[in-house]
Short mmCIF file of all heavy atoms in Angstrom, two decimals:
data_model
loop_
_atom_site.label_atom_id
_atom_site.label_comp_id
_atom_site.label_asym_id
_atom_site.label_seq_id
_atom_site.Cartn_x
_atom_site.Cartn_y
_atom_site.Cartn_z
N TRP A 191 17.11 -22.64 -7.87
CA TRP A 191 17.72 -23.22 -6.66
C TRP A 191 18.20 -22.10 -5.74
O TRP A 191 19.03 -21.29 -6.14
CB TRP A 191 18.90 -24.10 -7.08
CG TRP A 191 19.44 -24.98 -5.97
CD1 TRP A 191 19.91 -24.57 -4.77
CD2 TRP A 191 19.62 -26.41 -6.01
NE1 TRP A 191 20.35 -25.66 -4.02
CE2 TRP A 191 20.19 -26.80 -4.78
CE3 TRP A 191 19.37 -27.39 -6.99
CZ2 TRP A 191 20.50 -28.11 -4.48
CZ3 TRP A 191 19.69 -28.71 -6.67
CH2 TRP A 191 20.23 -29.06 -5.42
N TYR A 192 17.64 -22.08 -4.53
CA TYR A 192 18.08 -21.15 -3.50
C TYR A 192 18.90 -21.92 -2.49
O TYR A 192 18.48 -22.96 -1.95
CB TYR A 192 16.90 -20.49 -2.80
CG TYR A 192 16.09 -19.57 -3.68
CD1 TYR A 192 14.94 -20.03 -4.34
CD2 TYR A 192 16.46 -18.24 -3.86
CE1 TYR A 192 14.20 -19.19 -5.14
CE2 TYR A 192 15.71 -17.41 -4.67
CZ TYR A 192 14.58 -17.88 -5.31
OH TYR A 192 13.84 -17.05 -6.10
N ALA A 193 20.10 -21.42 -2.19
CA ALA A 193 21.01 -22.09 -1.26
C ALA A 193 21.41 -21.15 -0.15
O ALA A 193 21.31 -19.91 -0.29
CB ALA A 193 22.24 -22.57 -2.01
N PRO A 194 21.92 -21.69 0.97
CA PRO A 194 22.36 -20.81 2.07
C PRO A 194 23.59 -20.01 1.66
O PRO A 194 24.39 -20.46 0.83
CB PRO A 194 22.71 -21.79 3.19
CG PRO A 194 22.13 -23.09 2.79
CD PRO A 194 22.05 -23.11 1.30
N SER A 195 23.72 -18.82 2.22
CA SER A 195 24.99 -18.12 2.08
C SER A 195 26.06 -18.89 2.84
O SER A 195 25.76 -19.83 3.55
CB SER A 195 24.85 -16.67 2.65
OG SER A 195 24.41 -16.71 3.97
N ALA A 196 27.30 -18.48 2.72
CA ALA A 196 28.41 -19.23 3.30
C ALA A 196 28.29 -19.31 4.82
O ALA A 196 27.66 -18.45 5.44
CB ALA A 196 29.72 -18.57 2.94
N PRO A 197 28.88 -20.33 5.47
CA PRO A 197 28.82 -20.43 6.93
C PRO A 197 29.46 -19.18 7.57
O PRO A 197 30.30 -18.51 7.00
CB PRO A 197 29.68 -21.65 7.22
CG PRO A 197 29.66 -22.43 5.97
CD PRO A 197 29.58 -21.43 4.86
N ASP A 198 29.00 -18.86 8.79
CA ASP A 198 29.50 -17.71 9.52
C ASP A 198 30.92 -17.98 10.00
O ASP A 198 31.15 -18.82 10.86
CB ASP A 198 28.58 -17.44 10.71
CG ASP A 198 29.03 -16.23 11.53
OD1 ASP A 198 29.96 -15.52 11.05
OD2 ASP A 198 28.47 -16.00 12.59
N MET A 199 31.88 -17.28 9.40
CA MET A 199 33.28 -17.49 9.75
C MET A 199 33.82 -16.37 10.63
O MET A 199 35.03 -16.23 10.83
CB MET A 199 34.14 -17.58 8.48
CG MET A 199 33.61 -18.58 7.46
SD MET A 199 33.69 -20.27 8.05
CE MET A 199 35.35 -20.69 7.51
N SER A 200 32.94 -15.52 11.15
CA SER A 200 33.38 -14.34 11.88
C SER A 200 34.13 -14.68 13.17
O SER A 200 34.96 -13.90 13.63
CB SER A 200 32.18 -13.43 12.21
OG SER A 200 31.25 -14.12 13.03
N LYS A 201 33.86 -15.84 13.72
CA LYS A 201 34.52 -16.22 15.00
C LYS A 201 35.75 -17.09 14.78
O LYS A 201 36.37 -17.53 15.75
CB LYS A 201 33.52 -16.94 15.89
CG LYS A 201 32.32 -16.07 16.29
CD LYS A 201 31.37 -16.84 17.19
CE LYS A 201 30.16 -15.96 17.56
NZ LYS A 201 29.20 -16.70 18.43
N ILE A 202 36.10 -17.33 13.52
CA ILE A 202 37.26 -18.17 13.23
C ILE A 202 38.51 -17.30 13.26
O ILE A 202 38.58 -16.24 12.66
CB ILE A 202 37.14 -18.83 11.86
CG1 ILE A 202 35.82 -19.64 11.79
CG2 ILE A 202 38.32 -19.74 11.58
CD1 ILE A 202 35.70 -20.72 12.82
N HIS A 203 39.53 -17.76 13.98
CA HIS A 203 40.79 -17.01 14.10
C HIS A 203 41.60 -17.08 12.81
O HIS A 203 41.44 -17.99 12.02
CB HIS A 203 41.62 -17.55 15.27
CG HIS A 203 40.95 -17.37 16.61
ND1 HIS A 203 40.23 -18.40 17.19
CD2 HIS A 203 40.86 -16.32 17.44
CE1 HIS A 203 39.75 -17.98 18.36
NE2 HIS A 203 40.10 -16.74 18.52
N THR A 204 42.43 -16.08 12.60
CA THR A 204 43.33 -16.07 11.46
C THR A 204 44.77 -16.12 11.94
O THR A 204 45.10 -15.70 13.05
CB THR A 204 43.12 -14.83 10.57
OG1 THR A 204 43.36 -13.66 11.38
CG2 THR A 204 41.70 -14.78 10.03
N ARG A 205 45.62 -16.64 11.06
CA ARG A 205 47.06 -16.69 11.34
C ARG A 205 47.77 -16.41 10.03
O ARG A 205 47.54 -17.08 9.05
CB ARG A 205 47.44 -18.07 11.90
CG ARG A 205 48.92 -18.16 12.28
CD ARG A 205 49.29 -19.55 12.81
NE ARG A 205 48.51 -19.90 13.99
CZ ARG A 205 47.81 -21.01 14.11
NH1 ARG A 205 47.79 -21.88 13.11
NH2 ARG A 205 47.12 -21.27 15.20
N ALA A 206 48.62 -15.39 10.02
CA ALA A 206 49.34 -14.99 8.80
C ALA A 206 48.37 -14.69 7.66
O ALA A 206 48.60 -15.04 6.51
CB ALA A 206 50.33 -16.07 8.38
N GLY A 207 47.25 -14.05 8.02
CA GLY A 207 46.29 -13.64 7.02
C GLY A 207 45.40 -14.74 6.49
O GLY A 207 44.66 -14.54 5.52
N GLU A 208 45.42 -15.95 7.11
CA GLU A 208 44.59 -17.05 6.64
C GLU A 208 43.85 -17.65 7.81
O GLU A 208 44.27 -17.54 8.96
CB GLU A 208 45.46 -18.12 5.95
CG GLU A 208 44.74 -19.30 5.35
CD GLU A 208 43.68 -18.90 4.35
OE1 GLU A 208 42.59 -18.45 4.82
OE2 GLU A 208 43.91 -19.02 3.14
N TYR A 209 42.67 -18.28 7.55
CA TYR A 209 41.91 -18.92 8.60
C TYR A 209 42.71 -20.08 9.22
O TYR A 209 43.48 -20.76 8.52
CB TYR A 209 40.59 -19.50 8.05
CG TYR A 209 39.59 -18.45 7.66
CD1 TYR A 209 39.11 -18.38 6.38
CD2 TYR A 209 39.07 -17.57 8.62
CE1 TYR A 209 38.14 -17.44 6.01
CE2 TYR A 209 38.12 -16.62 8.27
CZ TYR A 209 37.68 -16.55 6.97
OH TYR A 209 36.73 -15.63 6.64
N VAL A 210 42.53 -20.28 10.51
CA VAL A 210 43.12 -21.44 11.17
C VAL A 210 42.33 -22.65 10.68
O VAL A 210 41.15 -22.80 10.97
CB VAL A 210 43.05 -21.31 12.69
CG1 VAL A 210 43.64 -22.58 13.35
CG2 VAL A 210 43.79 -20.08 13.16
N THR A 211 43.00 -23.55 9.92
CA THR A 211 42.28 -24.61 9.20
C THR A 211 41.56 -25.59 10.11
O THR A 211 40.51 -26.10 9.74
CB THR A 211 43.25 -25.37 8.30
OG1 THR A 211 44.33 -25.85 9.08
CG2 THR A 211 43.75 -24.49 7.17
N SER A 212 42.08 -25.88 11.28
CA SER A 212 41.41 -26.81 12.16
C SER A 212 40.05 -26.26 12.61
O SER A 212 39.07 -26.98 12.76
CB SER A 212 42.29 -27.12 13.39
OG SER A 212 42.53 -25.93 14.13
N GLU A 213 40.00 -24.92 12.82
CA GLU A 213 38.73 -24.31 13.24
C GLU A 213 37.76 -24.27 12.08
O GLU A 213 36.55 -24.41 12.25
CB GLU A 213 39.00 -22.91 13.79
CG GLU A 213 39.82 -22.91 15.07
CD GLU A 213 40.04 -21.49 15.61
OE1 GLU A 213 39.36 -20.56 15.14
OE2 GLU A 213 40.89 -21.33 16.50
N VAL A 214 38.28 -24.05 10.88
CA VAL A 214 37.42 -24.07 9.69
C VAL A 214 36.77 -25.43 9.53
O VAL A 214 35.58 -25.57 9.28
CB VAL A 214 38.21 -23.71 8.43
CG1 VAL A 214 37.35 -23.91 7.17
CG2 VAL A 214 38.72 -22.27 8.49
N ALA A 215 37.58 -26.47 9.72
CA ALA A 215 37.06 -27.85 9.60
C ALA A 215 35.95 -28.09 10.61
O ALA A 215 34.93 -28.71 10.31
CB ALA A 215 38.19 -28.85 9.76
N ASP A 216 36.16 -27.60 11.86
CA ASP A 216 35.14 -27.79 12.89
C ASP A 216 33.84 -27.08 12.50
O ASP A 216 32.74 -27.59 12.69
CB ASP A 216 35.64 -27.26 14.24
CG ASP A 216 36.72 -28.14 14.82
OD1 ASP A 216 36.83 -29.29 14.38
OD2 ASP A 216 37.49 -27.65 15.68
N GLU A 217 33.99 -25.86 11.99
CA GLU A 217 32.80 -25.09 11.61
C GLU A 217 32.05 -25.76 10.46
O GLU A 217 30.83 -25.87 10.47
CB GLU A 217 33.21 -23.67 11.20
CG GLU A 217 32.06 -22.75 10.84
CD GLU A 217 31.19 -22.38 12.02
OE1 GLU A 217 31.64 -22.57 13.16
OE2 GLU A 217 30.04 -21.95 11.79
N MET A 218 32.81 -26.22 9.46
CA MET A 218 32.18 -26.84 8.30
C MET A 218 31.59 -28.21 8.61
O MET A 218 30.77 -28.74 7.87
CB MET A 218 33.22 -26.97 7.17
CG MET A 218 33.69 -25.65 6.61
SD MET A 218 32.36 -24.68 5.88
CE MET A 218 31.96 -25.70 4.46
N SER A 219 32.03 -28.82 9.71
CA SER A 219 31.55 -30.18 10.04
C SER A 219 30.17 -30.15 10.67
O SER A 219 29.53 -31.18 10.78
CB SER A 219 32.53 -30.86 11.02
OG SER A 219 32.47 -30.25 12.29
N LYS A 220 29.70 -28.99 11.06
CA LYS A 220 28.35 -28.90 11.65
C LYS A 220 27.29 -28.94 10.55
O LYS A 220 27.39 -28.21 9.58
CB LYS A 220 28.20 -27.62 12.46
CG LYS A 220 29.14 -27.53 13.66
CD LYS A 220 29.00 -26.17 14.33
CE LYS A 220 29.97 -26.04 15.50
NZ LYS A 220 29.92 -24.71 16.12
N ALA A 221 26.31 -29.80 10.71
CA ALA A 221 25.21 -29.83 9.75
C ALA A 221 24.23 -28.72 10.14
O ALA A 221 23.59 -28.79 11.17
CB ALA A 221 24.53 -31.20 9.78
N VAL A 222 24.15 -27.69 9.30
CA VAL A 222 23.42 -26.49 9.65
C VAL A 222 22.20 -26.33 8.75
O VAL A 222 22.30 -26.47 7.52
CB VAL A 222 24.32 -25.25 9.54
CG1 VAL A 222 23.52 -23.98 9.80
CG2 VAL A 222 25.48 -25.34 10.51
N ILE A 223 21.05 -26.08 9.36
CA ILE A 223 19.84 -25.70 8.62
C ILE A 223 19.76 -24.19 8.67
O ILE A 223 19.54 -23.60 9.73
CB ILE A 223 18.59 -26.34 9.23
CG1 ILE A 223 18.77 -27.85 9.37
CG2 ILE A 223 17.37 -26.03 8.41
CD1 ILE A 223 19.09 -28.56 8.10
N VAL A 224 19.99 -23.56 7.52
CA VAL A 224 20.14 -22.10 7.47
C VAL A 224 18.82 -21.44 7.07
O VAL A 224 18.14 -21.90 6.15
CB VAL A 224 21.25 -21.71 6.47
CG1 VAL A 224 21.40 -20.19 6.38
CG2 VAL A 224 22.58 -22.34 6.85
N ALA A 225 18.49 -20.37 7.74
CA ALA A 225 17.35 -19.50 7.46
C ALA A 225 16.05 -20.10 7.98
O ALA A 225 15.89 -21.31 8.11
CB ALA A 225 17.23 -19.20 5.96
N ASP A 226 15.13 -19.22 8.30
CA ASP A 226 13.83 -19.62 8.82
C ASP A 226 13.00 -20.24 7.71
O ASP A 226 12.80 -19.66 6.63
CB ASP A 226 13.09 -18.39 9.39
CG ASP A 226 11.77 -18.78 10.02
OD1 ASP A 226 10.76 -18.77 9.29
OD2 ASP A 226 11.75 -19.08 11.22
N ILE A 227 12.50 -21.46 7.92
CA ILE A 227 11.82 -22.17 6.83
C ILE A 227 10.49 -21.50 6.46
O ILE A 227 10.12 -21.50 5.28
CB ILE A 227 11.62 -23.67 7.18
CG1 ILE A 227 10.74 -23.82 8.40
CG2 ILE A 227 12.95 -24.36 7.38
CD1 ILE A 227 10.23 -25.25 8.58
N VAL A 228 9.78 -20.97 7.45
CA VAL A 228 8.49 -20.34 7.14
C VAL A 228 8.69 -19.04 6.39
O VAL A 228 8.05 -18.77 5.35
CB VAL A 228 7.68 -20.09 8.44
CG1 VAL A 228 6.40 -19.31 8.12
CG2 VAL A 228 7.35 -21.40 9.11
N ASP A 229 9.62 -18.19 6.87
CA ASP A 229 9.90 -16.94 6.19
C ASP A 229 10.40 -17.15 4.77
O ASP A 229 10.04 -16.44 3.83
CB ASP A 229 10.94 -16.12 6.97
CG ASP A 229 10.37 -15.55 8.28
OD1 ASP A 229 9.13 -15.58 8.44
OD2 ASP A 229 11.15 -15.13 9.13
N SER A 230 11.27 -18.17 4.59
CA SER A 230 11.81 -18.45 3.26
C SER A 230 10.71 -18.91 2.31
O SER A 230 10.69 -18.55 1.14
CB SER A 230 12.93 -19.50 3.34
OG SER A 230 14.01 -19.02 4.09
N TYR A 231 9.82 -19.73 2.82
CA TYR A 231 8.68 -20.18 1.96
C TYR A 231 7.85 -18.98 1.53
O TYR A 231 7.52 -18.85 0.34
CB TYR A 231 7.81 -21.17 2.75
CG TYR A 231 6.54 -21.56 2.01
CD1 TYR A 231 6.54 -22.51 1.01
CD2 TYR A 231 5.32 -20.94 2.36
CE1 TYR A 231 5.38 -22.86 0.35
CE2 TYR A 231 4.14 -21.28 1.69
CZ TYR A 231 4.17 -22.23 0.68
OH TYR A 231 3.03 -22.55 0.03
N ARG A 232 7.55 -18.10 2.46
CA ARG A 232 6.76 -16.92 2.12
C ARG A 232 7.49 -16.01 1.14
O ARG A 232 6.89 -15.42 0.25
CB ARG A 232 6.39 -16.16 3.39
CG ARG A 232 5.26 -16.79 4.16
CD ARG A 232 4.94 -15.99 5.39
NE ARG A 232 3.64 -16.36 5.96
CZ ARG A 232 3.31 -16.15 7.22
NH1 ARG A 232 4.19 -15.60 8.05
NH2 ARG A 232 2.11 -16.50 7.65
N LYS A 233 8.80 -15.90 1.27
CA LYS A 233 9.57 -15.00 0.45
C LYS A 233 9.77 -15.52 -0.96
O LYS A 233 9.67 -14.79 -1.94
CB LYS A 233 10.93 -14.75 1.09
CG LYS A 233 11.79 -13.73 0.36
CD LYS A 233 13.09 -13.44 1.13
CE LYS A 233 13.95 -12.41 0.40
NZ LYS A 233 15.20 -12.14 1.16
#
Side-chain angles (χ1 to χ4, degrees):
W191 191 304
Y192 293 95
S195 55
D198 181 9
M199 309 294 272
S200 61
K201 298 179 181 180
I202 305 300
H203 296 97
T204 60
R205 182 181 301 127
E208 183 56 283
Y209 290 120
V210 178
T211 54
S212 60
E213 295 181 13
V214 172
D216 290 340
E217 182 69 17
M218 294 298 292
S219 70
K220 296 175 183 176
V222 176
I223 307 302
V224 179
D226 183 270
I227 63 167
V228 175
D229 289 346
S230 296
Y231 172 81
R232 282 181 164 157
K233 184 175 181 180

